[in-house]
Amino acid sequence: MLVCLGGGATQAAVLAMYGIVAAETMRAGGMALDEAIVVYVRKKYGIIIGQQTAEQVKMKIGAAVQQDEEQSIELQGQDQVSGLPRPVTLTTGEVVEAMHDPLMDIVETARRVLEKTPPELVSDIIDRGVAITGGGALLRGVDRLLTKELGVPAYLVDNPTTCVAEGAARGLSLYPM
């Protein structure tokens, strides 16, 4: 089983015998996580930040589950009332809270694919685990979140951001034009 956490979409699929057994695509990914951070900061602090700032927050201190080591980041945003710049400090726990709903949507997509999978393949998935790919796989603790919520071991693949392209290149080299 593969879960690809892309920027604009999340894809989950079970592959067997060189074919797709069950699959589902959700039109939300890393950008939905960024948007959740933007909305959280606006609601909690009354500060407007942009998508790029939210992306930086996610990359620097973001996590899918609570971390042992709490990190924080100070960022500048525009005050909703005065329109003037105002600093705000976000912690890892707040970012985890902000991204909770979109992450649960991703988990539900993977869960639906598992539910569509025949039992004999589910036992193989339990033995081998769920491979996580894509840029979203770099979010700290996303493997622990999927393991906990699905009840199936999940792990990051080597080179999660480039492995899909590498696999496509290998596949194309097998079938010259």
Side-chain angles (χ1 to χ4, degrees):
M1 180 170 181
L2 294 169
V3 175
C4 182
L5 305 173
T10 296
Q11 300 165 321
V14 174
L15 307 172
M17 304 293 289
Y18 302 104
I20 298 171
V21 176
E24 196 167 312
T25 299
M26 179 181 87
R27 289 269 171 217
M31 291 187 329
L33 298 175
D34 298 341
E35 185 59 32
I37 294 170
V38 169
V39 169
Y40 180 87
V41 170
R42 187 174 347 125
K43 284 183 179 177
K44 183 164 184 181
Y45 295 104
I47 299 291
I48 300 169
I49 62 170
Q51 190 96 16
Q52 287 182 330
T53 302
E55 171 91 14
Q56 289 174 352
V57 168
K58 179 180 71 176
M59 290 170 50
K60 288 182 180 173
I61 67 166
V65 294
Q66 293 294 342
Q67 300 292 301
D68 294 335
E69 181 184 324
E70 186 81 3
Q71 295 179 322
S72 64
I73 187 170
E74 186 171 303
L75 49 106
Q76 292 283 335
Q78 181 182 17
D79 189 293
Q80 280 184 308
V81 177
S82 69
L84 298 173
R86 194 173 93 197
V88 64
T89 302
L90 279 182
T91 64
T92 301
E94 290 176 306
V95 177
V96 170
E97 181 183 338
M99 295 189 303
H100 180 265
D101 290 345
L103 284 170
M104 286 301 108
D105 292 342
I106 290 168
V107 168
E108 280 306 310
T109 299
R111 184 175 285 135
R112 283 192 299 271
V113 170
L114 268 176
E115 289 170 356
K116 294 182 206 173
T117 304
E120 54 276 1
L121 291 179
V122 172
S123 66
D124 288 344
I125 293 168
I126 291 169
D127 292 341
R128 293 191 175 104
V130 175
I132 308 169
T133 68
L138 300 177
L139 181 65
R140 289 182 300 150
V142 74
D143 53 341
R144 288 189 287 152
L145 176 72
L146 284 171
T147 297
K148 177 183 160 204
E149 295 294 329
L150 297 176
V152 175
Y155 63 94
L156 301 180
V157 300
D158 295 336
N159 307 321
T161 56
T162 60
C163 67
V164 174
E166 291 170 20
R170 284 186 191 169
L172 289 173
S173 70
L174 294 176
Y175 302 102
M177 302 266 173

